[in-house]
Amino acid sequence: ERADALGITRYQPLRVTLLSNAYLLAGRREDAHAAAQRALELARRHQEKGPEAWALYLLAASQKGSPMAQATHIRDTYLDALRRSEALGMRPLSAHCLHGLGLLHATLNETTAAREHLQHALALYREMGMEYWPKQTEAELQAVH
């Protein structure tokens, strides 16, 4: 907010995506979603492709508890973020997008797609040496029947 008030635009889309992610990790989905929308708007205005990809991921991730009617929109948003992250070489974000897609498909009882996305995410997490996410993803993968 202070950066906005001072007219500081450099890194503002990145800062707002970080805020959105913090809200998401704290379980404040509505705040996360609002911040992600703001980050997406700023990233597009300032043509910052990395923060734009993160904002798209955060928009999808902050809608997990939404009605099933929005599942197509959420999936498409994850896929858009995934395409952008892969094009930019943002592997951690790509893994998070695959993880989100896996969880979405699990919610929809689409077990084959859920397992494929979660396994791909797990492989990426392991390749990058990320310690928390493989354990989390393994547990979620085991829960998919």
Side-chain angles (χ1 to χ4, degrees):
E1 289 174 358
R2 182 128 170 94
D4 279 341
L6 294 172
I8 299 171
T9 59
R10 186 176 177 113
Y11 302 118
Q12 187 65 350
L14 175 62
R15 281 191 292 273
V16 179
T17 60
L18 293 172
L19 175 64
S20 175
N21 196 43
Y23 282 142
L24 185 63
L25 293 171
R28 295 173 55 181
R29 290 198 184 279
E30 289 180 20
D31 292 329
H33 193 75
Q37 286 177 319
R38 176 77 175 130
L40 183 60
E41 172 191 318
L42 288 168
R44 287 181 172 164
R45 183 183 319 149
H46 299 291
Q47 299 177 350
E48 295 188 26
K49 295 179 187 226
E52 182 179 4
W54 269 107
L56 287 165
Y57 160 75
L58 290 162
L59 279 173
S62 64
Q63 295 235 351
K64 283 185 188 173
S66 299
M68 299 311 281
Q70 293 186 8
T72 300
H73 174 70
I74 295 168
R75 186 195 71 232
D76 291 347
T77 305
Y78 272 130
L79 289 171
D80 192 10
L82 178 61
R83 280 189 294 274
R84 291 166 190 265
S85 67
E86 289 176 339
L88 295 168
M90 300 171 72
R91 294 179 71 220
L93 179 56
S94 295
H96 288 328
C97 291
L98 289 163
H99 183 246
L101 282 164
L103 295 178
L104 176 64
H105 285 288
T107 301
L108 299 172
N109 293 318
E110 298 170 354
T111 57
T112 301
R115 293 186 70 71
E116 287 175 8
H117 288 303
L118 289 171
Q119 287 170 342
H120 192 179
L122 181 58
L124 283 175
Y125 288 139
R126 285 180 176 155
E127 286 173 19
M128 292 181 285
M130 297 175 81
E131 294 183 22
Y132 169 79
W133 291 102
K135 292 175 189 172
Q136 174 86 13
T137 307
E138 285 172 350
E140 292 160 344
L141 191 53
Q142 288 180 358
V144 175
H145 301 294

